[in-house]
Amino acid sequence: MRLYINDVAVRDGFQIEPRFVPTATKVELVDHLSRTGLHKVEVTSFVSPKLVPALADANDVLAGIERVPGVVYVALVPNIRGVQNAAATTKKPDEVNGVVSASETHNRANINRTHEQSLAELPTMVKVAHDAGMKITMSLSTAFGCPFEGHVAEDMVLRFVEHFHEFGFDGVSIADTTGMANPRQVEELTRKVLERFPAPNETYYTLHFHNTRGMGLANVIAGIAAGVHSFDGSLAGLGGCNFAPGATGNICTEDMVNMLEDMGYDTRVDIAKLIACAQLIPGIVGHEVPGQVMKAGVTMHLHEIPESLRQ
Amino acid sequence: MRLYINDVAVRDGFQIEPRFVPTATKVELVDHLSRTGLHKVEVTSFVSPKLVPALADANDVLAGIERVPGVVYVALVPNIRGVQNAAATTKKPDEVNGVVSASETHNRANINRTHEQSLAELPTMVKVAHDAGMKITMSLSTAFGCPFEGHVAEDMVLRFVEHFHEFGFDGVSIADTTGMANPRQVEELTRKVLERFPAPNETYYTLHFHNTRGMGLANVIAGIAAGVHSFDGSLAGLGGCNFAPGATGNICTEDMVNMLEDMGYDTRVDIAKLIACAQLIPGIVGHEVPGQVMKAGVTMHLHEIPESLRQ
């Protein structure tokens, strides 16, 4: 079965690093990632440079990277202003990705809008993106739980997905923003979404998991069982959790790819090249990262038989 | 569905710590773990104190701990000598756990025996244990892959399990010693084992996973799907991988319990008490540990709504 793997490290990972990653380093990393077989690479975000100084170089990153045919280059946009800025840049992203939280409290905390305000601007976001020749997808954050409100009603998730369809978005990402999803919940909720609003194509729905409580890769399996083909990860497991110092953030892309390839899925990703990219990360950010396969090697990375056992 | 959770941190975790953990600390930790609702606690091992100095205090640990009714106290035994020593100690473990590797190379590296030599001594191990009033189980290491040989034939696993049944062992643990198993493989192989050699009781089969490549909790779900009810973990994710510096070892017990309880399984484990135990570990070993839930809190650990959003 063909699966589509997207990496968000350059955006979701670097955005919380205290040390600014130089533009040239971001560009170089994206250029490496472009040659690994990934489906999408999220390269930056059009947000206020005051709020997220780490990504203040969005225009330069987009202008600097080499576009490899077949790879979709994505930028996050929190609002209409973000879409407009993405549309106005010299080298536009192929796709912009909006964001709204299924939990109203999280939506207000994250993008300073009520649900009503968010919904009111979504059709314009679609129009501005499409007029500029960019695709636009929507991420539904806190779809499996909210760090403030706790339980998030499935109906709320279904209602948002319905709106995204109506408004003409090109794809929907269902996101477990703070790692609260469990595999049973993922399979049940995702199945409902796909039954109620069938996917027009294999990459319409994406699942975006965090590994905050260690359930990330188990949730990927549950998502596949429910019929999803597209998954986000972050190189080297880069990223963190705003609510828990020391806890991990996004699931690790190369750990996910290693598992899926072992299971016989076709990700089209060259795991050796991806690991080589991951091994650049500790040097770039100056600290340890959660990725496992980059330390242990791929599953079939064998070790020398001890001297004493050899004839 | 009732699931049975066993912790191996005091044995499998402490045995590779470079710093000797004082006997009193081990005893105190076991006494805490005994009150969390765990099914089994693996407290030590009867191995050569020269080879594993970290567990040279097996007799004292077993003499010092308080036995809580309902909890099964386990000691690892690599050979007949180990069973004899366990049988000879003042306060015997309830159960000893032997070990053999499905890969012959790993068996020779780990316990210095060929398969033939291991099989030859197993019936005597059963007899010595039972004569001393102890139960005895067998762990089949490298059942899902060997760090030296790579692929391990399913037939080899099935043949060993058949022997364990014939020899009268009280339980069988199927172990992914270096984190090579993937969820599809776990479900397929475990299903074959259970079909061919049905479990006489719910805790006859245990699955023992490592999280070396991040697949540990996904493998637990696959094991449940195949019909297994008993799982090993290590408090705080303590332990490591002999073959990959920096890589993690056993799956983390409290991360597993948090996931399983979220999914609606009945583990009988008090997750708050278990997390309290896990939080002792960094102080005991003097370094960071891989456990996630101990850092992020349980899934429904909610956070204060930001000041600015409150009326």
Side-chain angles (χ1 to χ4, degrees):
Chain A
M1 187 194 291
R2 170 80 163 104
L3 297 176
Y4 301 82
I5 309 299
N6 318 307
D7 192 86
V8 302
V10 181
R11 197 277 303 170
D12 208 348
F14 285 162
Q15 77 176 9
I16 64 158
E17 290 297 325
R19 199 159 95 180
F20 182 80
V21 176
T23 308
T25 307
K26 289 171 182 156
V27 168
E28 199 180 344
L29 184 60
V30 171
D31 285 348
H32 283 305
L33 285 172
S34 293
R35 288 169 174 81
T36 58
L38 288 165
H39 179 55
K40 298 183 182 180
V41 182
E42 193 164 304
V43 295
T44 190
S45 114
F46 286 93
V47 286
S48 153
K50 274 188 198 138
L51 290 177
V52 188
L55 304 181
D57 56 356
N59 292 317
D60 295 337
V61 171
L62 282 161
I65 58 173
E66 191 186 327
R67 311 289 172 116
V68 172
V71 178
V72 180
Y73 296 92
V74 182
L76 184 125
V77 288
N79 48 37
I80 293 180
R81 171 76 71 92
V83 189
Q84 288 165 337
N85 288 341
T89 196
T90 326
K91 301 269 194 175
K92 286 181 278 221
D94 301 310
E95 186 172 293
V96 289
N97 178 37
V99 60
V100 64
S101 304
S103 139
E104 175 131 337
T105 309
H106 191 271
N107 203 51
R108 290 170 68 203
N110 195 40
I111 59 170
N112 195 28
R113 277 163 176 70
T114 64
H115 275 165
E116 211 182 333
Q117 289 167 331
S118 276
L119 286 169
E121 68 176 350
L122 293 187
T124 313
M125 287 173 70
V126 174
K127 190 175 182 319
V128 175
H130 285 171
D131 285 351
M134 302 183 296
K135 293 204 170 193
I136 180 165
T137 58
M138 270 304 285
S139 278
L140 185 61
S141 294
T142 64
F144 300 96
C146 167
F148 307 120
E149 296 182 11
H151 179 71
V152 166
E154 290 194 340
D155 274 351
M156 185 65 90
V157 173
L158 292 167
R159 214 173 309 149
F160 270 106
V161 173
E162 185 172 21
H163 285 306
F164 300 161
H165 275 263
E166 283 171 2
F167 296 157
F169 282 96
D170 300 296
V172 170
S173 173
I174 306 174
D176 180 31
T177 312
T178 59
M180 296 173 76
N182 70 69
R184 179 168 292 175
Q185 178 191 20
V186 167
E187 186 165 347
E188 286 175 1
L189 177 54
T190 309
R191 214 178 272 283
K192 279 181 196 164
V193 169
L194 270 72
E195 276 168 13
R196 196 81 72 84
F197 311 105
N201 58 64
E202 276 201 333
T203 58
Y204 185 84
Y205 288 110
T206 291
L207 288 170
H208 176 105
F209 293 123
H210 280 225
N211 198 38
T212 322
R213 291 171 179 89
M215 296 183 262
L217 295 192
N219 287 335
V220 170
I221 311 271
I224 295 170
V228 173
H229 292 254
S230 168
F231 296 89
D232 286 349
S234 175
L235 190 67
L238 195 68
C241 178
N242 287 330
F243 299 99
T248 55
N250 300 82
I251 58 171
C252 171
T253 309
E254 69 275 12
D255 289 3
M256 169 167 58
V257 168
N258 179 66
M259 175 182 78
L260 296 175
E261 290 286 330
D262 282 358
M263 294 176 78
Y265 293 110
D266 173 18
T267 66
R268 307 279 163 94
V269 176
D270 182 325
I271 184 75
K273 286 187 184 168
L274 197 62
I275 292 173
C277 290
Q279 283 167 342
L280 301 171
I281 297 290
I284 293 173
V285 297
H287 57 75
E288 278 305 300
V289 287
Q292 292 293 310
V293 170
M294 63 188 281
K295 295 163 195 147
V298 295
T299 305
M300 279 299 159
H301 171 70
L302 302 186
H303 296 262
E304 268 205 12
I305 293 174
E307 185 88 44
S308 60
L309 299 186
R310 278 176 271 158
Q311 263 77 40
Chain B
M1 187 196 290
R2 170 81 163 103
L3 297 176
Y4 301 81
I5 309 299
N6 318 307
D7 192 87
V8 303
V10 181
R11 197 276 303 169
D12 208 348
F14 286 161
Q15 78 177 8
I16 63 157
E17 289 298 325
R19 200 160 93 181
F20 182 80
V21 176
T23 307
T25 306
K26 290 171 182 156
V27 167
E28 199 179 343
L29 184 60
V30 170
D31 285 347
H32 284 304
L33 285 171
S34 293
R35 286 165 176 84
T36 59
L38 288 165
H39 179 56
K40 297 183 181 178
V41 183
E42 194 163 304
V43 295
T44 190
S45 113
F46 285 93
V47 285
S48 153
K50 276 190 197 135
L51 290 177
V52 189
L55 304 181
D57 56 357
N59 292 318
D60 295 337
V61 171
L62 281 161
I65 58 173
E66 192 186 327
R67 312 289 172 116
V68 171
V71 178
V72 180
Y73 296 91
V74 182
L76 184 128
V77 288
N79 47 37
I80 293 179
R81 169 79 69 92
V83 188
Q84 288 165 336
N85 288 342
T89 196
T90 327
K91 302 268 193 177
K92 284 180 279 220
D94 301 310
E95 187 172 293
V96 289
N97 178 37
V99 59
V100 64
S101 304
S103 138
E104 174 131 339
T105 309
H106 191 272
N107 202 52
R108 291 170 66 203
N110 195 41
I111 59 171
N112 194 27
R113 277 163 176 70
T114 63
H115 275 166
E116 209 181 337
Q117 288 167 331
S118 277
L119 286 169
E121 68 176 349
L122 294 187
T124 314
M125 287 173 72
V126 175
K127 191 178 182 317
V128 175
H130 285 172
D131 285 352
M134 301 182 297
K135 293 202 171 196
I136 180 165
T137 58
M138 270 304 285
S139 278
L140 186 60
S141 294
T142 64
F144 301 94
C146 167
F148 307 120
E149 296 182 11
H151 179 72
V152 167
E154 290 194 339
D155 274 352
M156 185 65 89
V157 172
L158 292 166
R159 212 172 311 150
F160 269 106
V161 173
E162 184 171 22
H163 285 306
F164 300 160
H165 274 262
E166 284 172 1
F167 296 157
F169 282 96
D170 300 295
V172 171
S173 174
I174 306 175
D176 179 31
T177 312
T178 59
M180 296 175 75
N182 71 70
R184 178 167 291 173
Q185 178 191 20
V186 167
E187 188 165 345
E188 287 175 1
L189 177 54
T190 309
R191 212 179 275 283
K192 279 181 198 165
V193 169
L194 270 72
E195 276 168 13
R196 196 82 71 86
F197 311 105
N201 59 64
E202 277 201 329
T203 57
Y204 185 83
Y205 288 110
T206 292
L207 287 169
H208 175 104
F209 293 123
H210 280 225
N211 197 37
T212 321
R213 292 170 179 89
M215 296 183 262
L217 294 192
N219 287 335
V220 170
I221 312 272
I224 295 170
V228 172
H229 292 254
S230 168
F231 296 90
D232 286 350
S234 174
L235 191 68
L238 195 68
C241 179
N242 287 332
F243 299 99
T248 54
N250 300 84
I251 58 171
C252 171
T253 309
E254 69 274 14
D255 289 3
M256 170 167 58
V257 168
N258 179 66
M259 175 182 78
L260 296 175
E261 289 287 330
D262 282 358
M263 294 176 78
Y265 294 110
D266 173 17
T267 67
R268 307 279 163 95
V269 176
D270 182 326
I271 183 76
K273 285 187 185 169
L274 197 61
I275 292 173
C277 290
Q279 283 166 344
L280 300 171
I281 296 290
I284 293 172
V285 296
H287 58 75
E288 280 304 301
V289 287
Q292 292 293 309
V293 170
M294 62 186 283
K295 295 163 196 147
V298 295
T299 305
M300 279 298 158
H301 170 69
L302 302 186
H303 296 262
E304 268 204 13
I305 293 174
E307 186 86 45
S308 60
L309 299 186
R310 278 177 270 160
Q311 266 75 42

